[in-house]
Amino acid sequence: MKINHNYQKLPGSYLFSTIAKKVADYSREHKEARIIRLGIGDVTLPIAPSIVKALHEAVDEMGDAAAFHGYAPDLGYAFLREAIAKTDYQRLGCSISADEIFISDGAKCDCGNIQELFSNEARIAVCDPVYPVYVDSNVMAGRTGEYDADKGTWSRVIYLPCTKENGFVPDLPKEVPDLIYLCNPNNPTGTTLTRKQLQVWVDYANEHDAVLLYDAAYEAYIRDEEVPHSIFELPGARACAIEFRSFSKNAGFTGVRLGFTVIPKDLIREGVSLHTMWARRHGTKYNGAPYIQQKAGLAVYGEEGQKEIQEQIQYYMRNTRTIYEGLKEAGYAVFGGVNSPYVWLHTGEMSSWAFFDELLDKAHVVGTPGSGFGPEGEHYFRLTGFGSYEDTVQAVERIKKTLALR
């Protein structure tokens, strides 16, 4: 018996597991400290009332023999797929149909699993810094080559630097990748690519027969009209892109678990439909998101649900503005925070993990070290607007009092 030794190539544990352990150790040693957590992107507001009502109704149905639901359709219930197609796509002029939508238990799982459709020889390109799951899942599959601990890079990964010097807009790579991961709005930087900037990538992918893996988990926070809510708003995207969406950040489903992936039927590689491949993978390895969650998802698209989740998004964006403005007053260079619930700050000469320790020890505030998102994340740090407003205000005051640069 032999194990998959690609797992042994992964450096350390998952980023947020490392943070949780460090915070737990600090809490044990400093029981008097009231720690404010603005690190992991987890929501704090309760599920909206109309969605909770739908959850209760679905639970009651499960207790009634006449209304009971067993296995869900592996690709998702038609009622939810149709609501998504109409509200999230067709309303924007995107020609996405319900049968091109695959319901799942979250975007993270789909982002990690999508790589199964592609050859192990496929080269991936990722923005740097970026969400760790993209790279880590490809490491596990044996697609990334060897790890250089000094540089923090993988030998077969094509990195697309996103820094303040280039306005956090990645340049087209010199080497041609097969798979290109884009996250817009970006996690962790909170910055965005405009419609014009994204069109460059769509045209590039079509020219080189590459596939764009487009993570739109934070699209609900977009306020700039020049930033598209979906990659499928762009001409040519149906022939080259896969889009991932989540209910976690727009409707607070981090603990409920629901998401979906969109694969157009036009997306063909080597004469094979990726839509058909994903349907086969989904049907074989997944038994469908539970009926209860999917009914809650449907309530998100109701008139009341839409109003309620917009109020929650505004609440989190007020937190984000508080962080952004407070850190600017404290002398930090800050980015993001306009179309995203994340603020990306520059730590100066201090390393991102040293800043993490300093912030935890002096201000009792938890954030996320930028180096955990890739080598270009060094000397940066991420704070999230997903805390309570009261905690956010206090966290900013603590930072200004103990770690201000002026």
Side-chain angles (χ1 to χ4, degrees), residues 67-184:
F68 174 78
H69 289 77
Y71 288 124
D74 50 15
L75 306 186
Y77 283 101
F79 61 74
L80 181 56
R81 298 166 85 191
E82 289 166 2
I84 291 169
K86 180 180 179 181
T87 307
D88 287 339
Y89 294 99
Q90 293 163 10
R91 179 178 59 86
L92 297 174
C94 305
S95 57
I96 295 296
S97 60
D99 62 355
E100 293 176 315
I101 296 166
F102 300 81
I103 307 300
S104 71
D105 58 356
K108 178 180 180 179
C109 297
D110 288 352
C111 285
N113 291 328
I114 197 70
Q115 51 78 28
E116 291 186 24
L117 301 191
F118 306 101
S119 162
N120 270 27
E121 283 71 50
R123 295 288 302 277
I124 72 165
V126 295
C127 293
D128 180 17
V130 82
Y131 188 42
V133 169
Y134 308 153
V135 173
D136 287 359
S137 58
N138 280 282
V139 173
M140 294 171 178
R143 195 175 284 115
T144 56
E146 300 303 318
Y147 184 66
D148 185 327
D150 293 330
K151 295 180 179 178
T153 58
W154 295 90
S155 61
R156 294 194 74 248
V157 173
I158 298 169
Y159 291 90
L160 310 171
C162 298
T163 65
K164 62 179 180 178
E165 286 75 22
N166 65 5
F168 300 95
V169 177
D171 294 323
L172 293 175
K174 295 178 181 177
E175 299 178 82
V176 177
D178 301 293
L179 307 173
I180 304 166
Y181 288 86
L182 294 177
C183 184
N184 194 45

Side-chain angles (χ1 to χ4, degrees), residues 356-370:
F356 173 92
D357 292 333
E358 193 89 348
L359 190 66
L360 179 59
D361 189 48
K362 290 187 176 180
H364 299 157
V365 173
V366 176
T368 309

Side-chain angles (χ1 to χ4, degrees), residues 36-52:
I36 297 176
R37 301 168 191 266
L38 301 180
I40 189 169
D42 196 0
V43 296
T44 51
L45 292 176
I47 300 292
S50 65
I51 302 171
V52 171

Side-chain angles (χ1 to χ4, degrees), residues 11 33 48 63 71 117 124 180 209 218 271 276 289 296 312 324 339-340 361 367 373 377 389 393 400:
Y71 288 124
L117 301 191
I124 72 165
I180 304 166
D209 210 31
Y218 299 93
T276 300
Q312 294 192 347
Y324 185 94
N339 295 299
S340 160
D361 189 48
F373 297 98
Y389 179 67
V393 170
K400 291 165 71 173

Side-chain angles (χ1 to χ4, degrees), residues 49-340:
S50 65
I51 302 171
V52 171
K53 181 182 177 183
L55 282 165
H56 281 294
E57 290 173 352
V59 169
D60 289 340
E61 287 183 64
M62 297 300 276
D64 180 351
F68 174 78
H69 289 77
Y71 288 124
D74 50 15
L75 306 186
Y77 283 101
F79 61 74
L80 181 56
R81 298 166 85 191
E82 289 166 2
I84 291 169
K86 180 180 179 181
T87 307
D88 287 339
Y89 294 99
Q90 293 163 10
R91 179 178 59 86
L92 297 174
C94 305
S95 57
I96 295 296
S97 60
D99 62 355
E100 293 176 315
I101 296 166
F102 300 81
I103 307 300
S104 71
D105 58 356
K108 178 180 180 179
C109 297
D110 288 352
C111 285
N113 291 328
I114 197 70
Q115 51 78 28
E116 291 186 24
L117 301 191
F118 306 101
S119 162
N120 270 27
E121 283 71 50
R123 295 288 302 277
I124 72 165
V126 295
C127 293
D128 180 17
V130 82
Y131 188 42
V133 169
Y134 308 153
V135 173
D136 287 359
S137 58
N138 280 282
V139 173
M140 294 171 178
R143 195 175 284 115
T144 56
E146 300 303 318
Y147 184 66
D148 185 327
D150 293 330
K151 295 180 179 178
T153 58
W154 295 90
S155 61
R156 294 194 74 248
V157 173
I158 298 169
Y159 291 90
L160 310 171
C162 298
T163 65
K164 62 179 180 178
E165 286 75 22
N166 65 5
F168 300 95
V169 177
D171 294 323
L172 293 175
K174 295 178 181 177
E175 299 178 82
V176 177
D178 301 293
L179 307 173
I180 304 166
Y181 288 86
L182 294 177
C183 184
N184 194 45
N186 181 269
N187 177 16
T189 66
T191 57
T192 51
L193 299 177
T194 65
R195 187 172 276 101
K196 184 177 180 181
Q197 289 163 342
L198 280 171
Q199 188 67 59
V200 171
W201 287 98
V202 170
D203 294 343
Y204 177 87
N206 280 322
E207 179 185 353
H208 294 283
D209 210 31
V211 175
L212 295 178
L213 301 175
Y214 189 80
D215 186 349
Y218 299 93
E219 65 77 29
Y221 293 83
I222 294 171
R223 296 297 175 265
D224 188 341
E225 291 184 0
E226 292 303 310
V227 179
H229 287 261
S230 169
I231 192 68
F232 299 116
E233 293 181 51
L234 305 180
R238 281 186 57 91
C240 69
I242 295 173
E243 182 167 290
F244 308 96
R245 291 279 193 104
S246 170
F247 286 79
S248 289
K249 303 310 192 308
N250 65 336
F253 278 30
T254 54
V256 176
R257 306 310 308 149
L258 194 66
F260 60 91
T261 291
V262 180
I263 305 184
K265 294 179 181 178
D266 299 6
L267 185 50
I268 309 292
R269 290 297 181 269
E270 294 190 281
V272 177
S273 163
L274 295 187
H275 178 280
T276 300
M277 288 181 71
W278 187 244
R280 185 67 169 89
R281 190 262 172 207
H282 219 54
T284 301
K285 293 191 173 185
Y286 189 59
N287 261 350
Y291 173 75
I292 295 168
Q293 277 92 321
Q294 293 197 51
K295 285 290 282 189
L298 180 63
V300 170
Y301 291 98
E303 184 177 346
E304 244 350 88
Q306 288 287 293
K307 178 183 175 183
E308 290 166 349
I309 67 170
Q310 282 303 317
E311 289 173 354
Q312 294 192 347
I313 288 167
Q314 291 303 320
Y315 178 92
Y316 292 133
M317 288 307 293
R318 180 174 68 153
N319 291 349
T320 307
R321 286 193 300 273
T322 299
I323 297 169
Y324 185 94
E325 293 167 3
L327 291 176
K328 282 194 75 171
E329 289 176 11
Y332 288 95
V334 290
F335 310 93
V338 177
N339 295 299
S340 160

